[in-house]
């Protein structure tokens, strides 16, 4: 499913875009096109016909040209071109287009033509974007933009905004402004904890000492430091890789804040309690946070905390951002906004790397001015599918710390820890003092191959020695079958997907052996999809069994399905989602575990919801399993899809397959779709050639979806190295607005 295309212009939904004129215009020199708006529109139409641009890109440029003409002001062809290109860039996840980057490296900046683009008949001599852009300078572009009534610096309501050398669609420019205003306002407002000698600060120090025991290795406890920093600021970010304890940290933070609030009871007044809301971008991420929050709350040392603190003071119910803000069907607007703000004193958002600039702006719009906002996430993961990389921009200085001497002194007094000198810099800025990075993983053992590979990818340090260890099975939690030469995909996947029993570990995990313990937790050997399909086929439930029995079976099957997941870098082709889904179905059909003769809704079909459905209460990313259940009047099996409730309650929701509107089979899913999820055993499949979507962030995200086992399959062993050398760099101006540039 294509990502939504942010646009200020609802007219785009009503334009006739079904029958574009894709005939090739007469070949013109670039200088001729830059002086003829009709010829420029013809070239854009041709690029659209070649699948280089989307219909909305061309129609946006056409609308601006038509509006200008109607006002007696012909639109400069340069503005027409740049309007189409900025729309194109928004569709690729950028918030704006930087003229310097565009003109210095047009092909890499625009990724035009795309790898899957084509040329229409008779268009072999089609001009490329760089052919046109090579004739322009930044000064020429800015002169054309500044001379157009469709462009302003934001002081006027125009479709395009030029800020410095960055060109925006107005809506996204305003989103950045809202985010920066919301953050800066909170950072500049002192809290009751700012003064280290105040009673609240002293109580914070006492509470943190009870929540955090002294590190046995004597090192700095970065979770405790993160708690202190986040408590001190009305806006805070806690970032860290998998297993660094982000959830544990935020639960202790909320306990500390509630303990401080509850301690101030004057003149017989009721105990003060902060109103806390918890949210995540997707239903899947919300359900996982719900489970981990509930566990972390139970593990708090309640007997040692303030006597007024109660378990109910820390909520465990997590909702999606869409539900929190109150989505309105067929509208970008939410029920909660500046005129109808949320009732909340503290808002925590998990998996913040998935939140795009549009949604983050809506959060700030709906948040009361006094409310504290805490973002959790891994700064190194993939950014949101839609425009922006908000968390990445907020955390781009997190590794170096950049803490001021005043912050270091405050932390020393409150936590008892001395900040390492390399995290203290004199150039520390306001946002730096509110960003905390967790630097120790508690999930993986020191000799974990998953951890070693993820760290190497993240640091672009894939040494020959590490790759050799991955190849020769030196790690008992990582396997890379057939990496030395291009491999045949079905043969390598077969041993991973074909296990029919939980004890049937693939041969590639030669050192895995029996069940093992990871930090005191029993971990089963790696399994494939055969395990959950065996459960689907071995049960003896029938029409006489109550619904509770079917619910229990569905819970077992959903848990077993989450033990293994194939992740893909691309969607199309034999190495992509489409090809691998077909491969898995074909394999298990041959084994008799899938009966495709039952129709498309066969028993065991896993599906992922690809769009929010508020009528059904399903969110984009929710995963369910198809059961053919004998619940009809004649007990004839009917296809129903079992979804886990998104509130972490463990309840099962049964949805008729006929009611699902947006979904896809999900034996294989893209890495993007896997964000917010974890799987016992993850298999990442990289194709046999490099593409622009294969980046360091994508590979890192794929690896870190694995909790205990990771398999890597590559069509060409060089693809892994080459992918890690590519980065996700999204054009934006948010960092500059926050003083981070």
């Amino acid at each position: 499913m294509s990502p939504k295309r942010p646009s200020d212009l609802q007219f785009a939904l009503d334009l006739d875009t079904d029958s574009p004129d894709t005939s090739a215009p007469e070949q013109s020199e670039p200088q001729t096109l830059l002086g003829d708006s009709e010829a420029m529109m013809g070239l854009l139409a041709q690029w659209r016909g070649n699948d280089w641009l989307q219909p909305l890109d061309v129609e946006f440029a056409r609308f601006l040209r038509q509006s200008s003409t109607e006002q007696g002001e012909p639109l400069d062809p340069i503005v027409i071109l740049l309007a189409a290109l900025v729309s194109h860039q928004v569709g690729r996840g950028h918030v704006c287009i930087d003229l310097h980057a565009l003109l210095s490296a047009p092909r890499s900046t625009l990724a035009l033509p795309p790898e899957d683009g084509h040329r229409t008949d008779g268009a072999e001599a089609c001009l490329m974007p760089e052919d046109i852009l090579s004739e322009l300078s930044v000064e020429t572009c800015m002169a054309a933009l500044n001379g157009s009534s469709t462009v302003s610096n934001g002081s006027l309501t125009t479709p395009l905004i030029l800020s410095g050398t960055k060109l925006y669609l107005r809506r996204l420019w305003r989103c950045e402004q809202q985010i920066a205003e919301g953050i800066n306002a909170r950072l500049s407002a002192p809290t009751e904890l700012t003064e280290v000698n105040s009673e609240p600060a002293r109580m914070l120090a006492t509470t943190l000492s009870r929540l955090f025991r002294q590190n046995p290795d004597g090192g700095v406890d970065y979770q405790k430091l993160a708690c202190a920093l986040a408590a001190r600021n009305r806006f805070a970010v806690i970032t860290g890789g998998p297993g660094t304890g982000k959830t544990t940290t935020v639960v202790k933070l909320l306990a500390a804040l509630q303990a401080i609030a509850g301690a101030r009871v004057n003149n017989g007044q009721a105990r003060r309690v902060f109103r806390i809301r918890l949210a995540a971008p997707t239903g899947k991420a919300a359900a996982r946070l719900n489970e981990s929050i509930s566990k972390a709350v139970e593990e708090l040392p309640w007997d040692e905390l303030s006597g007024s603190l109660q378990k109910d003071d820390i909520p465990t119910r997590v909702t999606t951002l869409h539900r929190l803000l109150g989505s309105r069907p067929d509208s970008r607007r939410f029920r909660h906004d500046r005129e109808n703000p949320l009732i909340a004193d503290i808002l925590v958002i998990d998996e913040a790397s998935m939140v795009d600039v549009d949604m983050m702006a809506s959060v700030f719009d709906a948040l009361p001015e006094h409310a504290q906002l805490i973002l959790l996430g891994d700064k190194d993961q993939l950014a949101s599918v839609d425009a922006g990389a908000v968390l990445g921009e907020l955390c781009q200085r997190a590794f170096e710390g950049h803490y001021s001497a005043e912050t270091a002194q405050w932390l020393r007094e409150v936590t008892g820890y001395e900040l390492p000198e390399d995290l203290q810099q004199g150039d520390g800025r306001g946002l730096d003092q509110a960003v905390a990075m967790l630097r120790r993983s508690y999930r993986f053992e020191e000799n974990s191959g998953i951890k070693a590979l993820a760290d190497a990818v993240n640091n672009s340090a894939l040494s020959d020695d590490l790759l050799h260890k991955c190849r020769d099975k030196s790690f008992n939690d990582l396997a890379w079958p057939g990496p030395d030469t291009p491999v045949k995909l079905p043969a390598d996947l077969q041993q991973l997907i074909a296990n029919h029993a939980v004890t049937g570990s693939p041969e590639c995990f030669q050192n895995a052996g029996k069940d093992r313990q990871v930090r005191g937790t029993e971990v089963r050997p790696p399994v494939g999809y055969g395990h959950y399909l065996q459960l689907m086929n071995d049960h003896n439930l029938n029409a006489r069994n109550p619904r509770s029995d079917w619910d229990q079976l569905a819970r077992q099957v959903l848990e077993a399905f989450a033990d293994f997941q194939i992740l893909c870098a691309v969607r199309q082709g034999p190495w992509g989602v489409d090809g691998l889904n077909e491969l898995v179905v074909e394999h298990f059909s041959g084994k008799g575990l899938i009966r495709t003769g039952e129709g498309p809704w066969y028993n065991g079909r896993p599906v992922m919801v690809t769009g929010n459905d508020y009528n059904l209460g399903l969110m984009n990313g929710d995963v369910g399993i198809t059961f053919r259940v004998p619940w009809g009047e004649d007990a004839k099996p009917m296809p129903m899809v079992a979804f886990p409730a998104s509130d972490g309650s463990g309840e099962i929701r049964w949805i008729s397959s006929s009611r699902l509107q947006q979904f896809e089979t999900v034996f294989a899913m893209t890495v993007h779709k896997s964000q917010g999820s974890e799987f016992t055993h993850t298999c990442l499949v990289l194709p046999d050639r490099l593409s622009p979507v294969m980046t360091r962030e994508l590979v890192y995200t794929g690896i870190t979806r694995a909790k205990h086992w990771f398999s890597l399959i590559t069509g060409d062993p060089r693809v892994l190295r080459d992918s890690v050398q590519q980065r996700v760099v999204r054009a934006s101006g948010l960092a500059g607005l926050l003083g981070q540039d």
Side-chain angles (χ1 to χ4, degrees), residues 183-192 194 232-235 369:
I183 292 175
N184 285 328
R186 284 168 171 79
L187 291 178
S188 62
T191 70
E192 57 191 7
T194 302
R232 184 194 190 200
N233 295 283
R234 290 175 55 215
F235 172 80
E369 291 184 1

Side-chain angles (χ1 to χ4, degrees), residues 334-395:
F334 292 96
R335 184 163 50 87
H336 289 291
D337 55 19
R338 192 160 299 184
E339 302 301 321
N340 179 31
L342 291 165
I343 299 176
D345 300 307
I346 301 173
L347 173 61
V348 177
I349 301 177
D350 193 23
E351 297 291 351
S353 63
M354 301 169 64
V355 182
D356 60 78
V357 68
D358 197 350
M359 177 60 79
M360 192 65 79
S362 296
V363 168
F364 278 102
D365 193 43
L367 206 58
E369 291 184 1
H370 75 276
Q372 184 175 11
L373 177 61
I374 302 164
L375 304 182
L376 307 178
D378 186 343
K379 67 180 180 64
D380 298 312
Q381 281 189 30
L382 280 168
S384 62
V385 174
D386 296 310
V390 178
L391 186 70
E393 288 196 81
L394 297 178
C395 297

Side-chain angles (χ1 to χ4, degrees), residues 27-35 40 127 131-135:
Q27 184 63 40
S28 301
E29 293 296 325
Q31 286 292 352
T32 302
L33 289 169
L34 291 172
M40 181 62 74
L127 285 172
D131 296 332
I132 306 294
L133 295 171
S134 64
E135 301 292 326

